[in-house]
Amino acid sequence: MEIERAKQILQSSEKITVLYQGEPVWIDMVDENAEKAQVHSESNPDDVKKIPVWDLEEKKRSALTYRGQKKEDPPFCNRYIFRYNPSRAINS
C-alpha cells in the first residue's frame, strides 16, 4: 500500500478493511519518514506492530451482484423493460 493511501484510510470515517499477512488490522499511525505504520490486529487490539506501509493490503470490495449475477453481466441489463404509463406520469 502507498503511504498516501494509508493516511487516507487512517483519516476516513468509514471502515476500510486493511490486511497484514492476510489478517485484518487497524491503522493507528503512519510515519512518513520511516515509511512505517503502527497497526493492531482486529481480533487482538493488544497486538501492536510497527510494519512497513508497503506490507499492508487494502481489501477490495466485490462487484455488486443481483441474484448471483455481476452487475456488468448482460442479462442484468436486459432483464427489466420499463414501459411508459401515461396515467402515472407526473404533471408539471
Side-chain angles (χ1 to χ4, degrees):
M1 174 179 297
E2 294 184 16
I3 292 173
E4 286 303 313
R5 182 60 183 145
K7 287 171 42 181
Q8 289 172 354
I9 291 172
L10 179 61
Q11 295 172 355
S12 176
S13 60
E14 67 180 82
K15 183 184 182 319
I16 299 169
T17 304
V18 175
L19 304 175
Y20 173 63
Q21 297 180 342
E23 179 184 349
V25 294
W26 286 95
I27 300 174
D28 299 321
M29 178 186 89
V30 176
D31 182 351
E32 287 184 72
N33 296 329
E35 297 182 345
K36 295 197 179 234
Q38 179 176 310
V39 300
H40 69 269
S41 169
E42 280 188 13
S43 60
N44 183 5
D46 295 329
D47 183 19
V48 178
K49 300 175 185 166
K50 270 200 163 182
I51 57 169
V53 175
W54 312 109
D55 289 345
L56 295 173
E57 180 183 345
E58 181 177 353
K59 185 175 179 182
K60 300 293 181 187
R61 296 179 186 171
S62 60
L64 295 176
T65 59
Y66 181 75
R67 295 187 184 178
Q69 290 184 319
K70 289 184 180 176
K71 187 175 181 179
E72 61 268 16
D73 289 347
F76 181 86
C77 299
N78 299 325
R79 184 172 295 206
Y80 299 103
I81 299 172
F82 295 96
R83 295 194 174 106
Y84 175 69
N85 184 344
S87 65
R88 301 196 75 187
I90 299 173
N91 296 326
S92 44

